[in-house]
Amino acid sequence: MAAESLFNRPLCVQVRGQGCEERRLNVRVNIELLSISNPVHKKDLAVRLTDDSDPFFLYNLVISEEDFQSLKSQQGLLVDFSSFPQKFIDLLHQCIQEQNKDIPRFLLQLVSSASLLDHTPVFLNVVETNPFKHLTHLSLKFLPGNDAEIKKFLASCLKSLKEDKEMLEQKLRKTEEDFTRQLSYTQQSLSEKSQELDKLKNEWTTYTTTLTNKHAQELTNEKERALQVQTQYQQQHEQQKKELESLHQKSIQQLQSRLSELEIINKDLTERRYKGDSTVRELKAKLSGIDDECQRAKQEVLSLRRENTTLDAECHEKEKLINQLQTRVAVLEQEIKDKDQLVVRTKEVLDATQEQKVILEEGTEKKQNHIEKLEATIKSLSAELLKANEIIKKLQGDLKTLMSKLKLKNTVTIQQEKLLAEKEEKLQKQQRELQETGQSLQMKEQEVCKLQEQLETAIQKLEESKQLLKTNENVITWLNKQLNEIQMAKKLETSSSPLGGARTGISPQGMLDRPAFQSSGLNPLSPLYALQNFPEAACRKTANPQCPGAKVQFNMQFSKMNRCADGQAVTAASGAPANKENGDSFGLEPKYFKKKEDSIPLRGLSQNALNSEYLKAYLPTKAQPSAKPAVTTASAYFPGS
């Protein structure tokens, strides 16, 4: 005998009994088509009513072709036996669609002649309601099942539960294997990524060590250059000290102040370097290769600032150092471009890591959804197992052994739930680690943006320093031209008339007397003072062609013996004095005499070099001793005093 299942679903049924109120009950309707081939081939329709909550609720109905003919004649059916099961199922589907409404159009009624459904025949009616009446489409009589049928039904239920349990166990095993494989794969990928991170850390540490060594070598070279320059200055000062003690004392004071400033700057630079080293160590201890890259950029910015300050100091010392610093700035700009390219590469690496992080997060979300589905299925299985346990307790003593087996299987399922909970905890830990790495990456991106802003400000400062260097170079070239013109004019005058023009004061020892500088605020070694000390060259550039010699007075500035011995003054009237009211600018535009707040002072120029140029350019090569020292008034050099 073969059975074909056509319908098996729970339905909401309205139960009516004699002398009791109506109530609703969830009844499972199972429709099967039984085919019997021995001794005669025939088909029967078997309908069974059961209750999932009550295992002893069982009503059966078997309709053969002969029974269907009588049913067809009694209820006026228009279908034959072959199409009757499908039409009956269609009616049940309509009842299912209407059961959730307040006033359903189609409903199932279970009518009993007794007050309770207790081993009495019942009628299952399919009723259609309309405003006029309740129309019964089909009414089937069901008989209650006896003990043998109930036992057979319970045995079939138990068998189906066992089969379902075995299927679920197989599914659980497969899912566990899949999870173990996925976990092993993720662990391998994590180990590979950690190895890659370690490699990157090692590479960046080696790169930073090479950079620190390089900067240390550059610092030592700069210190050696400073020491060489200092020794040269000391030698020059020792030579000049023998000739001019008073001037040498002033120059010593100026050099000492300059040395103190340089020491202060050097201390500041060393402090900055130590601070940079401390920050490098902290960032190395905190994070990976991205921190190393950021710290390297900071060190480069600090080195650029130090080199900028050294360029500002050395640009006024010698013209040769200016050219060297310009080339150095070009090299640094090229290095900054290279560093920017490295920063772009690191950003690309960060983007790739973020994409991998997003992929891992999506995988974890899928796994979580799958685990939630498994938990739901396990909960439903546990509920069904509890129901099966209640059914088995009501059975006879033959089923006690089956109870013990089911309990053992329940313990196995609980252990499996514990294993699933442990796996969920592991997945949550991995998610937390991913979130922490994402936050750290965001912090690194912010630090990279800050470093880029600092680099941009440093580049702007370099451009400003270049512009200042260009303006200073123009001023220096203009001053050199003026000095060369004055020197040529002086040589021509001395060759043509040794005593013509403005006379200068000569000491009896044949040395040029230096003018006194107490009354004026100018530095005796500055280029402006050199221009003011030679009014003859300035007079040639004015519109007045007649420029008689100005009265010039050289105060005696030698040793105490010269000041005691040579007390007389000789004046040589050779021209009209140059006044401020005449608007004489000595050929220099007035914008170069204005003091700017943001300008860099020309304090780096060597005063001794200007001193030597002054003595060589503006004095005759051989000074003739005169009977009287030539002394003129200081009004020629400082008009209005």
Side-chain angles (χ1 to χ4, degrees):
M1 183 176 64
E4 182 182 357
S5 179
L6 300 177
F7 184 82
N8 186 6
R9 288 184 67 179
L11 297 172
C12 184
V13 179
Q14 187 177 7
V15 180
R16 286 183 178 182
Q18 189 175 5
C20 64
E21 295 181 356
E22 294 181 357
R23 59 190 178 91
R24 290 183 177 273
L25 184 67
N26 287 324
V27 176
R28 182 176 291 277
V29 179
N30 187 6
I31 300 172
E32 293 180 353
L33 188 63
L34 304 176
S35 60
I36 301 169
S37 60
N38 190 12
V40 180
H41 181 72
K42 64 178 181 177
K43 290 184 179 180
D44 295 335
L45 183 66
V47 182
R48 184 170 62 239
L49 301 178
T50 58
D51 189 0
D52 294 336
S53 61
D54 188 3
F56 295 102
F57 183 86
L58 178 63
Y59 288 91
N60 294 319
L61 173 62
V62 178
I63 301 173
S64 63
E65 293 181 1
E66 293 81 6
D67 296 332
F68 178 73
Q69 294 299 325
S70 63
L71 180 67
K72 183 177 180 181
S73 63
Q74 288 175 5
Q75 298 186 11
L77 300 177
L78 300 176
V79 296
D80 55 0
F81 182 75
S82 61
S83 60
F84 173 72
Q86 186 62 40
K87 296 294 182 181
F88 182 42
I89 291 167
D90 293 337
L91 290 172
L92 294 176
H93 281 296
Q94 289 180 357
C95 294
I96 292 169
Q97 291 175 1
E98 299 287 333
Q99 67 183 359
N100 293 323
K101 295 181 180 179
D102 295 333
I103 302 173
R105 185 181 174 188
F106 288 92
L107 57 90
L108 287 173
Q109 290 182 353
L110 193 64
V111 180
S112 176
S113 60
S115 61
L116 296 174
L117 298 175
D118 189 9
H119 300 289
T120 57
V122 295
F123 291 92
L124 181 67
N125 300 327
V126 180
V127 181
E128 181 182 359
T129 59
N130 55 26
F132 182 69
K133 65 177 290 188
H134 291 282
L135 182 61
T136 302
H137 286 280
L138 184 64
S139 179
L140 299 175
K141 184 178 180 181
F142 287 85
L143 298 175
N146 53 17
D147 292 337
E149 290 177 349
I150 290 170
K151 289 179 181 180
K152 186 178 179 181
F153 170 68
L154 290 174
S156 63
C157 289
L158 186 61
K159 184 179 179 181
S160 63
L161 284 172
K162 285 182 179 180
E163 290 176 353
D164 293 335
K165 188 177 179 182
E166 288 176 356
M167 291 289 290
L168 290 171
E169 285 178 354
Q170 290 177 359
K171 287 181 180 178
L172 284 172
R173 288 172 187 172
K174 288 180 181 179
T175 52
E176 284 180 356
E177 290 176 356
D178 293 334
F179 277 123
T180 51
R181 288 173 186 172
Q182 290 176 0
L183 284 171
S184 63
Y185 178 72
T186 52
Q187 287 176 357
Q188 288 178 0
S189 61
L190 286 171
S191 62
E192 290 176 356
K193 296 295 179 183
S194 62
Q195 289 177 0
E196 289 178 359
L197 286 172
D198 293 332
K199 288 180 181 178
L200 289 172
K201 285 181 180 179
N202 294 323
E203 289 177 359
W204 287 119
T205 50
T206 53
Y207 189 66
T208 50
T209 52
T210 54
L211 283 175
T212 51
N213 293 324
K214 184 178 178 181
H215 288 302
Q217 289 178 0
E218 289 179 355
L219 286 171
T220 53
N221 292 325
E222 292 294 332
K223 286 180 181 179
E224 289 177 357
R225 289 177 185 174
L227 290 171
Q228 289 177 1
V229 172
Q230 188 176 1
T231 53
Q232 289 177 2
Y233 284 140
Q234 287 178 358
Q235 290 176 1
Q236 290 177 2
H237 284 299
E238 286 176 359
Q239 290 176 2
Q240 291 179 358
K241 186 177 180 181
K242 295 177 182 179
E243 297 174 356
L244 301 169
E245 290 181 354
S246 61
L247 184 63
H248 183 64
Q249 289 177 358
K250 293 179 182 179
S251 63
I252 285 170
Q253 291 176 358
Q254 291 175 0
L255 287 170
Q256 285 178 354
S257 63
R258 178 65 179 162
L259 285 170
S260 63
E261 289 176 358
L262 288 170
E263 287 177 354
I264 291 165
I265 291 166
N266 192 5
K267 287 180 182 178
D268 293 332
L269 292 173
T270 52
E271 288 177 356
R272 289 179 184 176
R273 182 173 174 272
Y274 292 143
K275 287 178 182 178
D277 293 333
S278 63
T279 53
V280 167
R281 286 192 294 270
E282 289 176 357
L283 290 172
K284 280 181 183 178
K286 286 180 181 177
L287 291 170
S288 62
I290 298 166
D291 294 327
D292 296 331
E293 180 64 25
C294 294
Q295 187 59 34
R296 186 172 62 78
K298 287 182 181 179
Q299 289 179 357
E300 289 170 0
V301 170
L302 291 173
S303 65
L304 289 172
R305 288 179 182 173
R306 289 198 295 272
E307 289 171 359
N308 193 2
T309 54
T310 54
L311 287 169
D312 291 333
E314 290 178 356
C315 69
H316 306 291
E317 289 178 1
K318 290 181 182 180
E319 293 179 353
K320 294 179 181 180
L321 292 175
I322 289 167
N323 294 325
Q324 292 178 359
L325 290 171
Q326 286 177 353
T327 55
R328 181 66 178 168
V329 168
V331 172
L332 289 171
E333 287 177 351
Q334 187 64 34
E335 289 179 355
I336 288 165
K337 290 179 181 178
D338 296 334
K339 302 310 185 299
D340 290 333
Q341 291 178 359
L342 289 172
V343 170
V344 171
R345 290 176 184 173
T346 53
K347 283 183 180 178
E348 292 177 354
V349 174
L350 285 172
D351 293 332
T353 53
Q354 286 179 356
E355 290 177 356
Q356 289 179 358
K357 182 186 76 177
V358 170
I359 291 165
L360 290 171
E361 287 178 353
E362 291 177 355
T364 51
E365 287 177 356
K366 289 179 180 178
K367 289 177 183 178
Q368 283 182 354
N369 293 324
H370 190 62
I371 288 164
E372 288 175 355
K373 290 179 180 178
L374 289 172
E375 286 179 354
T377 54
I378 288 165
K379 287 179 181 178
S380 63
L381 285 171
S382 62
E384 290 176 359
L385 289 170
L386 291 171
K387 290 178 182 179
N389 288 326
E390 291 176 357
I391 292 165
I392 290 163
K393 284 179 183 178
K394 293 177 182 179
L395 293 172
Q396 296 176 358
D398 296 333
L399 300 175
K400 288 183 180 180
T401 55
L402 295 172
M403 284 286 292
S404 61
K405 291 180 181 179
L406 287 171
K407 287 180 180 178
L408 290 173
K409 289 179 180 178
N410 285 324
T411 55
V412 171
T413 54
I414 290 165
Q415 290 177 359
Q416 290 175 355
E417 288 177 356
K418 290 180 179 178
L419 291 171
L420 289 171
E422 290 177 357
K423 290 178 181 178
E424 286 178 357
E425 289 177 356
K426 289 180 181 178
L427 289 172
Q428 288 177 0
K429 287 180 181 178
Q430 290 179 358
Q431 288 178 356
R432 290 174 186 171
E433 290 177 356
L434 288 171
Q435 289 178 357
E436 290 176 357
T437 52
Q439 291 177 358
S440 63
L441 287 171
Q442 290 178 358
M443 293 292 290
K444 293 304 140 190
E445 288 176 354
Q446 292 177 359
E447 289 180 358
V448 168
C449 292
K450 290 180 181 178
L451 289 171
Q452 286 180 353
E453 292 177 355
Q454 291 178 0
L455 286 171
E456 290 176 356
T457 54
I459 290 165
Q460 290 178 359
K461 289 181 180 178
L462 284 171
E463 290 176 354
E464 291 175 358
S465 64
K466 284 180 183 179
Q467 292 177 359
L468 290 172
L469 286 171
K470 287 179 181 178
T471 54
N472 291 328
E473 285 177 359
N474 293 326
V475 172
I476 289 165
T477 53
W478 184 86
L479 290 172
N480 287 326
K481 288 180 182 179
Q482 294 293 325
L483 291 172
N484 290 325
E485 289 177 0
I486 293 165
Q487 185 179 5
M488 293 299 292
K490 193 68 180 177
K491 285 182 180 180
L492 291 170
E493 286 177 0
T494 53
S495 64
S496 62
S497 60
L499 297 174
R503 290 184 182 179
T504 58
I506 306 299
S507 66
Q509 287 80 10
M511 297 297 290
L512 176 67
D513 291 337
R514 310 273 301 178
F517 308 114
Q518 288 81 8
S519 63
S520 65
L522 294 172
N523 191 350
L525 300 178
S526 65
L528 297 175
Y529 180 76
L531 289 170
Q532 288 184 0
N533 281 340
F534 294 96
E536 293 175 359
C539 251
R540 290 190 188 93
K541 294 182 181 292
T542 58
N544 190 6
Q546 295 177 357
C547 185
K551 291 182 180 181
V552 181
Q553 180 179 0
F554 286 99
N555 292 326
M556 308 297 286
Q557 291 278 327
F558 286 103
S559 63
K560 293 180 180 180
M561 293 176 68
N562 290 327
R563 283 201 296 271
C564 293
D566 299 329
Q568 297 179 356
V570 178
T571 61
S574 62
N579 295 322
K580 290 181 180 178
E581 289 82 2
N582 296 328
D584 190 5
S585 62
F586 303 105
L588 187 64
E589 294 180 1
K591 66 181 180 180
Y592 293 107
F593 294 100
K594 293 180 181 179
K595 185 178 179 181
K596 295 181 179 179
E597 293 179 356
D598 58 349
S599 63
I600 298 171
L602 296 170
R603 62 185 179 184
L605 290 172
S606 175
Q607 295 178 358
N608 294 322
L610 287 171
N611 230 348
S612 60
E613 292 290 335
Y614 171 80
L615 292 172
K616 290 178 183 178
Y618 303 117
L619 292 179
T621 57
K622 292 181 180 179
Q624 299 293 331
S626 62
K628 294 180 180 181
V631 180
T632 59
T633 61
S635 63
Y637 288 99
F638 305 103
S641 62

